[in-house]
């Protein structure tokens, strides 16, 4: 796809949100609840920091190698053989994400919604949809996502109100009484899912403004952290950790608990019809990243010719790799975080060191220093950093107070949520400030234009 | 797992169709591109073959993918 595409900062933020958030909702949250019990909703803060680190590295790569994607960059840095080997590992990693998501969604649909439809047929239909989008580009997925992701996010937040009659805050108490070890481990498990932000590396060649790209991804990551925390709060408040930790599809069962009135039945179908397109966008982004990676081995960016062979391969290989949903759950919960920390993190650190050297001395600012907009932007950056760091400090203080004061737990919980919410708002402010600065510099037409 | 026959007929005919299209168009393609596409077709046929003859039960691929999971789970259990 050589033609020019336009994906703006908001679309990037929401794409990141969709990529990271929708996949978690099938069965992953069960393992987090099993580990941290009623304190599982404190499990998103370290993964947020991890995803921000990856976003920072990716934006550094854009600055150092404008117009190149991660596969091309690795070929440049590592040469044909070493770069090729690392790219093969990245392709394998993307294939794992695809196989997990496609097979997980097919199993979920087969078990809960379409029990008489053969699993392979569900899988095939899903892959055909993916192949249809494979003929297009990231722009189309971003525009579809712009419609569904806000609805999905509002749906997640509105669950609290829809389930208020089933909610009991006592199921969350005593707050922060799990050992700190449990909370730390529960923060380790979602790193695997947050590592999916690496998929954006396949589209770096289409990005013009690295700082705005980073701010957009940062906002997307914080949306995910906040949304998932709220989902976990609702899940634990409605079901308690004992039940939530034993269900294969906890969020689906949670949504089934909505009983607003007697005549409004099966609300979960309405909510499911919003989740499914948002989840499909995540899979499409992963598939496009896979095609871009395969295209880099094929020596070109036209990935249309690889669409059919890759699609057929993914249908059979996903069945081959993960025969049932229990294997997928086990893999996402325990193997994926390890793969991310053993493979993705060292690669990101290596790339960071490399781009630090390459970007030395470059000054890149979308906002002229000393202006009111610049002051606003700096304050937004600082408040976001302080709030996110404050979340970690609040957990540590809560752990210190756990044997001393019952009120302490409640207070730390409220402060934690408030800090996350402020970080969400200020990260939006940071992104908007950069966008205004970009437009004032007269780069409105150039910046945000994605070529693929 | 015995695969659904309708799926098999549909999938194999689509696979053959796209493979035929590849054979027809391959002369206009770059050599590297041809090799990459051929690898994907070979892998697809291999996986389909293995699924039909239940080879994945003789060599459980899910265990291969999940071989780290029990170790990590044990470590997590010990840690908490």
């Amino acid at each position: 796809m050589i033609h020019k595409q336009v994906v703006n900062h908001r679309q990037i933020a929401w794409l990141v949100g969709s990529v990271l958030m929708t996949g978690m909702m099938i069965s992953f949250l069960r393992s987090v609840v099993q580990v941290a019990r009623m304190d599982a909703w404190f499990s998103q803060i370290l993964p947020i920091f991890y995803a921000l680190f990856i976003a920072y590295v990716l934006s550094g790569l854009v600055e150092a190698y404008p117009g190149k994607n991660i596969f091309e960059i690795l070929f440049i840095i590592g040469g044909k053989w070493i770069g090729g080997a690392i790219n093969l590992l990245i392709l394998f990693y993307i294939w794992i994400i695809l196989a997990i998501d496609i097979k997980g969604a097919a199993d979920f649909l087969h078990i809960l919604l379409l029990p008489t439809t053969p699993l392979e047929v569900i899988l095939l239909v899903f892959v055909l949809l993916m192949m249809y989008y494979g003929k297009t580009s990231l722009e189309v997925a971003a525009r579809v996502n712009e419609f569904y992701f806000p609805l999905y996010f509002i749906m997640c937040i509105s669950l609290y109100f829809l389930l208020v009659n089933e909610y009991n805050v006592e199921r969350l108490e005593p707050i922060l009484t799990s050992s700190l070890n449990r909370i730390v481990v529960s923060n380790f498990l979602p790193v695997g899912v947050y590592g999916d932000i690496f998929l954006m590396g396949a589209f770096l060649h289409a990005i013009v403004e690295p700082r705005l790209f980073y701010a957009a991804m940062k906002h997307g990551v914080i949306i995910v952290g906040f949304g998932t925390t709220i989902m976990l709060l609702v899940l634990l408040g409605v079901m308690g950790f004992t039940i939530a930790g034993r269900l294969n599809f906890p969020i689906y069962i949670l949504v089934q608990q909505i009983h607003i009135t007697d005549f409004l039945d099966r609300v979960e179908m309405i909510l499911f019809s919003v989740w499914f397109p948002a989840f499909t966008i995540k899979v499409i982004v992963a598939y496009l990243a896979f095609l871009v990676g395969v295209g880099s081995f094929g020596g070109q960016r036209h990935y249309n010719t690889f669409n059919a062979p890759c699609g057929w391969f993914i249908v059979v290989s996903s069945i081959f790799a993960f025969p049932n949903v229990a294997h997928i759950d086990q893999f996402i919960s325990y193997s994926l975080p390890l793969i991310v920390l053993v493979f993705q993190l060292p690669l990101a650190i290596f790339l960071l060191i490399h781009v630090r050297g390459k970007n030395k001395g470059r000054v890149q600012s979308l906002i002229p220093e000393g202006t009111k907009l610049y002051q606003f932007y700096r304050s937004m950056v600082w408040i976001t950093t302080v709030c996110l760091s404050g979340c970690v400090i609040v957990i540590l203080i809560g752990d210190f107070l756990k044997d001393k004061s019952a009120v302490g737990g409640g207070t730390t919980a409220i402060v934690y949520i408030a800090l996350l919410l402020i970080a969400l708002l200020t990260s939006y402010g940071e992104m908007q400030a950069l966008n205004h600065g970009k437009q004032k510099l007269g780069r409105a037409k150039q910046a945000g234009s994605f070529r693929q | 797992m015995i695969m659904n026959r309708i799926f098999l007929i549909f999938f194999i005919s689509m696979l053959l169709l796209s493979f035929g299209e590849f054979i027809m168009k391959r002369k206009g393609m770059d050599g590297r591109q041809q090799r990459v596409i051929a690898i994907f077709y070979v892998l697809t046929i291999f996986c389909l073959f293995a699924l039909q003859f239940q080879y994945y039960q003789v060599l459980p691929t899910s265990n291969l993918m999940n071989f780290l999971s029990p170790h990590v789970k044990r470590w997590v259990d010990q840690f908490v």
Side-chain angles (χ1 to χ4, degrees):
Chain A
M1 297 284 143
I2 294 296
H3 68 268
K4 208 168 186 180
Q5 298 171 54
V6 181
V7 181
N8 63 33
H9 56 286
R10 192 185 57 246
Q11 288 171 330
I12 297 169
W14 288 355
L15 269 179
V16 169
S18 200
V19 164
L20 302 189
M21 197 170 168
T22 53
M24 268 193 266
M25 299 302 156
I26 297 180
S27 65
F28 170 70
L29 296 178
R30 181 179 71 156
S31 337
V32 178
V33 173
Q34 279 173 347
V35 171
R37 299 177 180 176
M38 63 278 190
D39 291 329
W41 57 285
F42 291 103
S43 64
Q44 305 298 311
I45 191 69
L46 293 185
I48 287 178
F49 279 107
Y50 178 76
L52 291 182
F53 170 67
I54 299 293
Y56 180 72
V57 174
L58 293 179
S59 68
L61 285 173
V62 174
E63 203 176 334
Y65 296 94
K68 304 275 180 208
N69 62 44
I70 194 150
F71 298 103
E72 291 166 330
I73 293 168
L74 283 167
F75 270 126
I76 293 168
I77 298 172
K80 190 180 168 187
W81 294 106
I82 298 173
I86 299 171
N87 279 340
L88 262 184
L89 287 174
I90 296 178
L91 261 188
F92 178 65
Y93 172 68
I94 298 175
W95 170 77
I96 287 175
I97 295 173
L98 272 171
I100 289 170
D101 285 338
I102 292 167
K103 188 66 182 12
D107 275 328
F108 170 70
L109 289 170
H110 180 63
I111 294 167
L112 286 174
L113 299 171
L114 305 164
T116 51
T117 309
L119 179 78
E120 306 86 19
V121 174
I122 299 171
L123 202 80
L124 182 67
V125 171
F126 197 62
V127 174
L128 285 176
L129 174 72
M130 215 170 69
M131 284 164 72
Y132 172 74
Y133 274 91
K135 284 184 175 177
T136 64
S137 60
L138 188 69
E139 184 187 353
V140 178
R143 288 185 181 195
V144 177
N145 189 54
E146 209 172 11
F147 178 70
Y148 283 106
F149 184 72
L151 275 179
Y152 173 69
F153 184 72
I154 291 166
M155 178 196 96
C156 290
I157 304 298
S158 67
L159 273 183
Y160 180 79
F161 303 101
L162 293 171
L163 284 160
V164 77
N165 54 341
E166 307 282 337
Y167 197 83
N168 186 354
V169 79
E170 283 175 11
R171 294 194 183 104
L172 296 172
E173 290 173 341
I175 294 167
L176 278 172
T177 46
S178 304
S179 69
L180 197 60
N181 287 356
R182 281 186 183 275
I183 295 172
V184 170
V185 172
S186 73
N187 271 272
F188 158 75
L189 300 183
V191 165
V193 179
Y194 277 73
D196 290 3
I197 196 171
F198 203 71
L199 292 174
M200 299 307 285
F203 310 104
L204 295 184
H205 56 277
I207 292 157
V208 181
E209 296 292 354
R211 195 66 196 82
L212 184 58
F213 176 59
Y214 172 69
M217 287 204 289
K218 186 178 182 180
H219 181 55
V221 168
I222 297 174
I223 288 177
V224 177
F226 182 75
T228 312
T229 303
I230 296 294
M231 288 292 276
L232 277 163
L233 259 177
V234 177
L235 178 71
L236 291 164
V238 171
M239 292 182 177
F241 71 88
T242 317
I243 297 173
R246 286 180 186 171
L247 295 169
N248 267 333
F249 305 110
I251 298 296
Y252 182 74
I253 305 295
L254 174 74
V255 174
Q256 278 188 326
Q257 306 306 310
I258 299 172
H259 301 296
I260 306 168
T261 59
D262 289 338
F263 60 88
L264 193 61
D265 204 12
R266 303 216 68 180
V267 184
E268 78 269 14
M269 284 299 131
I270 302 166
L271 300 184
F272 177 78
S273 61
V274 177
W275 169 80
F276 187 72
F279 174 75
T280 307
I281 297 298
K282 185 241 167 124
V283 180
I284 288 162
V285 172
Y287 184 62
L288 290 174
F290 188 76
L291 288 180
V292 171
V294 173
S296 74
F297 279 95
Q300 55 180 297
R301 283 180 182 171
H302 289 280
Y303 50 68
N304 258 348
T305 44
F306 302 107
N307 193 9
C310 288
W312 306 139
F313 168 70
I314 284 163
V315 173
V316 283
S317 63
S318 59
I319 304 175
F320 195 65
F322 299 104
N324 63 50
V325 74
H327 288 112
I328 297 172
D329 188 37
Q330 206 180 12
F331 186 85
I332 299 179
S333 302
Y334 300 107
S335 289
L336 195 60
L338 197 69
I339 289 172
V340 165
L341 291 178
V342 169
F343 167 64
Q344 199 186 87
L345 183 62
L347 178 64
I349 292 171
F350 164 72
L351 289 171
L352 179 70
I353 294 165
H354 179 78
V355 296
R356 275 265 165 123
K358 215 166 169 1
N359 291 340
K360 223 174 192 177
R362 283 190 201 183
V363 183
Q364 212 232 14
S365 178
L366 287 172
I367 310 170
E369 283 186 34
T371 56
K372 273 189 178 175
L373 190 64
Y374 185 77
Q375 284 169 357
F376 174 75
Y377 162 72
R378 291 304 303 167
S379 61
M380 288 295 113
V381 173
W382 273 106
I383 294 170
T384 312
T385 312
V386 167
C387 286
L388 290 178
S389 313
C391 287
V392 179
I393 295 165
V394 158
I395 293 174
L396 295 174
I397 293 171
D399 185 65
F400 177 73
L401 290 174
K402 68 180 176 190
D403 300 325
K404 298 183 177 68
S405 161
V407 185
T411 313
T412 48
I414 292 166
V415 174
Y416 181 83
I417 289 286
L419 287 175
L420 260 186
L421 181 63
I422 295 168
L424 177 70
L425 298 174
T426 51
S427 64
Y428 178 75
E430 179 187 338
M431 186 177 78
Q432 288 300 89
L434 280 169
N435 188 44
H436 285 302
K438 180 195 77 181
Q439 290 186 356
K440 277 190 178 173
L441 279 177
R443 297 190 207 170
K445 281 183 184 172
Q446 183 197 358
S449 298
F450 278 51
R451 281 170 287 105
Q452 194 179 348
Chain B
M1 183 172 145
I2 298 162
M3 291 185 119
N4 182 270
R5 282 181 189 172
I6 298 170
F7 164 79
L8 274 178
I9 293 166
F10 196 62
F11 184 77
I12 291 171
S13 46
M14 283 197 300
L15 188 65
L16 288 174
L17 202 73
S18 73
F19 187 71
E21 201 183 343
F22 164 62
I23 296 290
M24 300 283 277
K25 286 183 180 173
R26 82 192 151 99
K27 279 180 185 168
M29 288 180 189
D30 179 48
R32 273 204 294 175
Q33 198 180 353
Q34 280 187 42
R35 278 196 294 277
V36 170
I37 292 175
I39 288 169
F40 274 102
Y41 278 119
V42 169
L43 284 173
T44 306
I45 293 162
F46 168 76
C47 288
L48 191 64
F49 187 80
L51 282 170
Q52 292 316 299
F53 295 96
Q54 313 280 310
Y55 283 143
Y56 74 103
Q57 285 182 0
V58 180
L59 177 71
T61 41
S62 57
N63 289 0
L64 210 67
M65 293 299 291
N66 258 318
F67 84 100
L68 283 172
S69 301
H71 300 288
V72 181
K73 193 172 184 332
R74 205 173 305 136
W75 175 78
V76 165
D77 291 340
Q78 279 174 0
F79 195 73
V80 299

